[in-house]
mmCIF file with all atom_site columns, all heavy atoms in Angstrom:
data_model
loop_
_atom_site.group_PDB
_atom_site.id
_atom_site.type_symbol
_atom_site.label_atom_id
_atom_site.label_alt_id
_atom_site.label_comp_id
_atom_site.label_asym_id
_atom_site.label_entity_id
_atom_site.label_seq_id
_atom_site.pdbx_PDB_ins_code
_atom_site.Cartn_x
_atom_site.Cartn_y
_atom_site.Cartn_z
_atom_site.occupancy
_atom_site.B_iso_or_equiv
_atom_site.pdbx_formal_charge
_atom_site.auth_seq_id
_atom_site.auth_comp_id
_atom_site.auth_asym_id
_atom_site.auth_atom_id
_atom_site.pdbx_PDB_model_num
ATOM 1   N N   . VAL B 1 262 ? -71.889 -82.941  28.871 1.00 95.00 ? 262 VAL B N   1
ATOM 2   C CA  . VAL B 1 262 ? -72.769 -83.938  28.254 1.00 95.00 ? 262 VAL B CA  1
ATOM 3   C C   . VAL B 1 262 ? -72.293 -84.264  26.839 1.00 95.00 ? 262 VAL B C   1
ATOM 4   O O   . VAL B 1 262 ? -72.232 -85.439  26.439 1.00 95.00 ? 262 VAL B O   1
ATOM 5   C CB  . VAL B 1 262 ? -74.228 -83.440  28.233 1.00 95.00 ? 262 VAL B CB  1
ATOM 6   C CG1 . VAL B 1 262 ? -75.102 -84.372  27.391 1.00 95.00 ? 262 VAL B CG1 1
ATOM 7   C CG2 . VAL B 1 262 ? -74.785 -83.349  29.655 1.00 95.00 ? 262 VAL B CG2 1
ATOM 8   N N   . ALA B 1 263 ? -71.919 -83.232  26.078 1.00 94.00 ? 263 ALA B N   1
ATOM 9   C CA  . ALA B 1 263 ? -71.501 -83.447  24.689 1.00 94.00 ? 263 ALA B CA  1
ATOM 10  C C   . ALA B 1 263 ? -70.254 -84.315  24.603 1.00 94.00 ? 263 ALA B C   1
ATOM 11  O O   . ALA B 1 263 ? -70.213 -85.294  23.820 1.00 94.00 ? 263 ALA B O   1
ATOM 12  C CB  . ALA B 1 263 ? -71.253 -82.101  24.005 1.00 94.00 ? 263 ALA B CB  1
ATOM 13  N N   . GLN B 1 264 ? -69.228 -83.993  25.389 1.00 94.00 ? 264 GLN B N   1
ATOM 14  C CA  . GLN B 1 264 ? -67.971 -84.738  25.264 1.00 94.00 ? 264 GLN B CA  1
ATOM 15  C C   . GLN B 1 264 ? -68.084 -86.158  25.803 1.00 94.00 ? 264 GLN B C   1
ATOM 16  O O   . GLN B 1 264 ? -67.507 -87.098  25.229 1.00 94.00 ? 264 GLN B O   1
ATOM 17  C CB  . GLN B 1 264 ? -66.814 -83.998  25.939 1.00 94.00 ? 264 GLN B CB  1
ATOM 18  C CG  . GLN B 1 264 ? -66.903 -83.850  27.438 1.00 94.00 ? 264 GLN B CG  1
ATOM 19  C CD  . GLN B 1 264 ? -65.858 -82.899  27.972 1.00 94.00 ? 264 GLN B CD  1
ATOM 20  O OE1 . GLN B 1 264 ? -64.730 -83.299  28.226 1.00 94.00 ? 264 GLN B OE1 1
ATOM 21  N NE2 . GLN B 1 264 ? -66.212 -81.639  28.158 1.00 94.00 ? 264 GLN B NE2 1
ATOM 22  N N   . THR B 1 265 ? -68.857 -86.360  26.869 1.00 95.00 ? 265 THR B N   1
ATOM 23  C CA  . THR B 1 265 ? -68.993 -87.720  27.397 1.00 95.00 ? 265 THR B CA  1
ATOM 24  C C   . THR B 1 265 ? -69.873 -88.577  26.489 1.00 95.00 ? 265 THR B C   1
ATOM 25  O O   . THR B 1 265 ? -69.652 -89.786  26.375 1.00 95.00 ? 265 THR B O   1
ATOM 26  C CB  . THR B 1 265 ? -69.576 -87.703  28.827 1.00 95.00 ? 265 THR B CB  1
ATOM 27  O OG1 . THR B 1 265 ? -70.787 -86.938  28.860 1.00 95.00 ? 265 THR B OG1 1
ATOM 28  C CG2 . THR B 1 265 ? -68.578 -87.098  29.806 1.00 95.00 ? 265 THR B CG2 1
ATOM 29  N N   . TYR B 1 266 ? -70.864 -87.962  25.835 1.00 96.00 ? 266 TYR B N   1
ATOM 30  C CA  . TYR B 1 266 ? -71.684 -88.707  24.873 1.00 96.00 ? 266 TYR B CA  1
ATOM 31  C C   . TYR B 1 266 ? -70.808 -89.220  23.727 1.00 96.00 ? 266 TYR B C   1
ATOM 32  O O   . TYR B 1 266 ? -70.883 -90.398  23.345 1.00 96.00 ? 266 TYR B O   1
ATOM 33  C CB  . TYR B 1 266 ? -72.793 -87.814  24.328 1.00 96.00 ? 266 TYR B CB  1
ATOM 34  C CG  . TYR B 1 266 ? -73.657 -88.487  23.282 1.00 96.00 ? 266 TYR B CG  1
ATOM 35  C CD1 . TYR B 1 266 ? -74.738 -89.277  23.649 1.00 96.00 ? 266 TYR B CD1 1
ATOM 36  C CD2 . TYR B 1 266 ? -73.370 -88.344  21.924 1.00 96.00 ? 266 TYR B CD2 1
ATOM 37  C CE1 . TYR B 1 266 ? -75.519 -89.922  22.688 1.00 96.00 ? 266 TYR B CE1 1
ATOM 38  C CE2 . TYR B 1 266 ? -74.142 -88.975  20.959 1.00 96.00 ? 266 TYR B CE2 1
ATOM 39  C CZ  . TYR B 1 266 ? -75.208 -89.762  21.349 1.00 96.00 ? 266 TYR B CZ  1
ATOM 40  O OH  . TYR B 1 266 ? -75.974 -90.400  20.395 1.00 96.00 ? 266 TYR B OH  1
ATOM 41  N N   . LEU B 1 267 ? -69.956 -88.345  23.203 1.00 95.00 ? 267 LEU B N   1
ATOM 42  C CA  . LEU B 1 267 ? -69.132 -88.723  22.059 1.00 95.00 ? 267 LEU B CA  1
ATOM 43  C C   . LEU B 1 267 ? -68.082 -89.764  22.428 1.00 95.00 ? 267 LEU B C   1
ATOM 44  O O   . LEU B 1 267 ? -67.880 -90.747  21.709 1.00 95.00 ? 267 LEU B O   1
ATOM 45  C CB  . LEU B 1 267 ? -68.461 -87.479  21.472 1.00 95.00 ? 267 LEU B CB  1
ATOM 46  C CG  . LEU B 1 267 ? -69.401 -86.498  20.761 1.00 95.00 ? 267 LEU B CG  1
ATOM 47  C CD1 . LEU B 1 267 ? -68.663 -85.211  20.411 1.00 95.00 ? 267 LEU B CD1 1
ATOM 48  C CD2 . LEU B 1 267 ? -69.992 -87.130  19.500 1.00 95.00 ? 267 LEU B CD2 1
ATOM 49  N N   . VAL B 1 268 ? -67.391 -89.553  23.545 1.00 93.00 ? 268 VAL B N   1
ATOM 50  C CA  . VAL B 1 268 ? -66.329 -90.499  23.898 1.00 93.00 ? 268 VAL B CA  1
ATOM 51  C C   . VAL B 1 268 ? -66.922 -91.848  24.299 1.00 93.00 ? 268 VAL B C   1
ATOM 52  O O   . VAL B 1 268 ? -66.290 -92.901  24.080 1.00 93.00 ? 268 VAL B O   1
ATOM 53  C CB  . VAL B 1 268 ? -65.428 -89.929  25.016 1.00 93.00 ? 268 VAL B CB  1
ATOM 54  C CG1 . VAL B 1 268 ? -66.091 -90.024  26.383 1.00 93.00 ? 268 VAL B CG1 1
ATOM 55  C CG2 . VAL B 1 268 ? -64.076 -90.645  25.043 1.00 93.00 ? 268 VAL B CG2 1
ATOM 56  N N   . ALA B 1 269 ? -68.142 -91.866  24.837 1.00 94.00 ? 269 ALA B N   1
ATOM 57  C CA  . ALA B 1 269 ? -68.785 -93.143  25.160 1.00 94.00 ? 269 ALA B CA  1
ATOM 58  C C   . ALA B 1 269 ? -69.056 -93.944  23.885 1.00 94.00 ? 269 ALA B C   1
ATOM 59  O O   . ALA B 1 269 ? -68.935 -95.178  23.878 1.00 94.00 ? 269 ALA B O   1
ATOM 60  C CB  . ALA B 1 269 ? -70.086 -92.903  25.918 1.00 94.00 ? 269 ALA B CB  1
ATOM 61  N N   . LEU B 1 270 ? -69.415 -93.243  22.806 1.00 94.00 ? 270 LEU B N   1
ATOM 62  C CA  . LEU B 1 270 ? -69.646 -93.927  21.534 1.00 94.00 ? 270 LEU B CA  1
ATOM 63  C C   . LEU B 1 270 ? -68.343 -94.463  20.935 1.00 94.00 ? 270 LEU B C   1
ATOM 64  O O   . LEU B 1 270 ? -68.356 -95.456  20.195 1.00 94.00 ? 270 LEU B O   1
ATOM 65  C CB  . LEU B 1 270 ? -70.313 -92.975  20.541 1.00 94.00 ? 270 LEU B CB  1
ATOM 66  C CG  . LEU B 1 270 ? -71.729 -92.505  20.886 1.00 94.00 ? 270 LEU B CG  1
ATOM 67  C CD1 . LEU B 1 270 ? -72.231 -91.531  19.822 1.00 94.00 ? 270 LEU B CD1 1
ATOM 68  C CD2 . LEU B 1 270 ? -72.684 -93.689  21.027 1.00 94.00 ? 270 LEU B CD2 1
ATOM 69  N N   . LEU B 1 271 ? -67.221 -93.804  21.259 1.00 93.00 ? 271 LEU B N   1
ATOM 70  C CA  . LEU B 1 271 ? -65.921 -94.235  20.748 1.00 93.00 ? 271 LEU B CA  1
ATOM 71  C C   . LEU B 1 271 ? -65.283 -95.312  21.616 1.00 93.00 ? 271 LEU B C   1
ATOM 72  O O   . LEU B 1 271 ? -64.327 -95.969  21.181 1.00 93.00 ? 271 LEU B O   1
ATOM 73  C CB  . LEU B 1 271 ? -64.966 -93.038  20.667 1.00 93.00 ? 271 LEU B CB  1
ATOM 74  C CG  . LEU B 1 271 ? -65.344 -91.908  19.709 1.00 93.00 ? 271 LEU B CG  1
ATOM 75  C CD1 . LEU B 1 271 ? -64.378 -90.737  19.873 1.00 93.00 ? 271 LEU B CD1 1
ATOM 76  C CD2 . LEU B 1 271 ? -65.350 -92.388  18.266 1.00 93.00 ? 271 LEU B CD2 1
ATOM 77  N N   . GLU B 1 272 ? -65.775 -95.482  22.831 1.00 91.00 ? 272 GLU B N   1
ATOM 78  C CA  . GLU B 1 272 ? -65.157 -96.390  23.800 1.00 91.00 ? 272 GLU B CA  1
ATOM 79  C C   . GLU B 1 272 ? -65.305 -97.856  23.381 1.00 91.00 ? 272 GLU B C   1
ATOM 80  O O   . GLU B 1 272 ? -66.411 -98.393  23.336 1.00 91.00 ? 272 GLU B O   1
ATOM 81  C CB  . GLU B 1 272 ? -65.810 -96.172  25.169 1.00 91.00 ? 272 GLU B CB  1
ATOM 82  C CG  . GLU B 1 272 ? -65.341 -97.112  26.262 1.00 91.00 ? 272 GLU B CG  1
ATOM 83  C CD  . GLU B 1 272 ? -63.853 -96.998  26.526 1.00 91.00 ? 272 GLU B CD  1
ATOM 84  O OE1 . GLU B 1 272 ? -63.464 -96.111  27.310 1.00 91.00 ? 272 GLU B OE1 1
ATOM 85  O OE2 . GLU B 1 272 ? -63.092 -97.802  25.951 1.00 91.00 ? 272 GLU B OE2 1
ATOM 86  N N   . PRO B 1 273 ? -64.175 -98.540  23.073 1.00 91.00 ? 273 PRO B N   1
ATOM 87  C CA  . PRO B 1 273 ? -64.256 -99.942  22.650 1.00 91.00 ? 273 PRO B CA  1
ATOM 88  C C   . PRO B 1 273 ? -64.408 -100.914 23.823 1.00 91.00 ? 273 PRO B C   1
ATOM 89  O O   . PRO B 1 273 ? -64.731 -102.080 23.616 1.00 91.00 ? 273 PRO B O   1
ATOM 90  C CB  . PRO B 1 273 ? -62.921 -100.160 21.931 1.00 91.00 ? 273 PRO B CB  1
ATOM 91  C CG  . PRO B 1 273 ? -61.983 -99.209  22.612 1.00 91.00 ? 273 PRO B CG  1
ATOM 92  C CD  . PRO B 1 273 ? -62.806 -98.000  22.982 1.00 91.00 ? 273 PRO B CD  1
ATOM 93  N N   . VAL B 1 274 ? -64.172 -100.428 25.027 1.00 90.00 ? 274 VAL B N   1
ATOM 94  C CA  . VAL B 1 274 ? -64.260 -101.265 26.224 1.00 90.00 ? 274 VAL B CA  1
ATOM 95  C C   . VAL B 1 274 ? -65.629 -101.063 26.861 1.00 90.00 ? 274 VAL B C   1
ATOM 96  O O   . VAL B 1 274 ? -66.084 -99.933  27.033 1.00 90.00 ? 274 VAL B O   1
ATOM 97  C CB  . VAL B 1 274 ? -63.148 -100.909 27.234 1.00 90.00 ? 274 VAL B CB  1
ATOM 98  C CG1 . VAL B 1 274 ? -63.264 -101.765 28.487 1.00 90.00 ? 274 VAL B CG1 1
ATOM 99  C CG2 . VAL B 1 274 ? -61.774 -101.082 26.588 1.00 90.00 ? 274 VAL B CG2 1
ATOM 100 N N   . SER B 1 275 ? -66.294 -102.137 27.230 1.00 91.00 ? 275 SER B N   1
ATOM 101 C CA  . SER B 1 275 ? -67.621 -102.031 27.822 1.00 91.00 ? 275 SER B CA  1
ATOM 102 C C   . SER B 1 275 ? -67.550 -101.526 29.253 1.00 91.00 ? 275 SER B C   1
ATOM 103 O O   . SER B 1 275 ? -66.502 -101.586 29.904 1.00 91.00 ? 275 SER B O   1
ATOM 104 C CB  . SER B 1 275 ? -68.319 -103.392 27.797 1.00 91.00 ? 275 SER B CB  1
ATOM 105 O OG  . SER B 1 275 ? -67.698 -104.274 28.733 1.00 91.00 ? 275 SER B OG  1
ATOM 106 N N   . SER B 1 276 ? -68.679 -101.039 29.748 1.00 91.00 ? 276 SER B N   1
ATOM 107 C CA  . SER B 1 276 ? -68.735 -100.574 31.133 1.00 91.00 ? 276 SER B CA  1
ATOM 108 C C   . SER B 1 276 ? -68.489 -101.731 32.098 1.00 91.00 ? 276 SER B C   1
ATOM 109 O O   . SER B 1 276 ? -67.921 -101.540 33.180 1.00 91.00 ? 276 SER B O   1
ATOM 110 C CB  . SER B 1 276 ? -70.086 -99.918  31.418 1.00 91.00 ? 276 SER B CB  1
ATOM 111 O OG  . SER B 1 276 ? -71.145 -100.865 31.376 1.00 91.00 ? 276 SER B OG  1
#
Side-chain angles (χ1 to χ4, degrees):
V262 171
Q264 66 190 275
T265 52
Y266 178 85
L267 290 171
V268 77
L270 294 178
L271 297 173
E272 176 60 85
V274 179
S275 71
S276 67

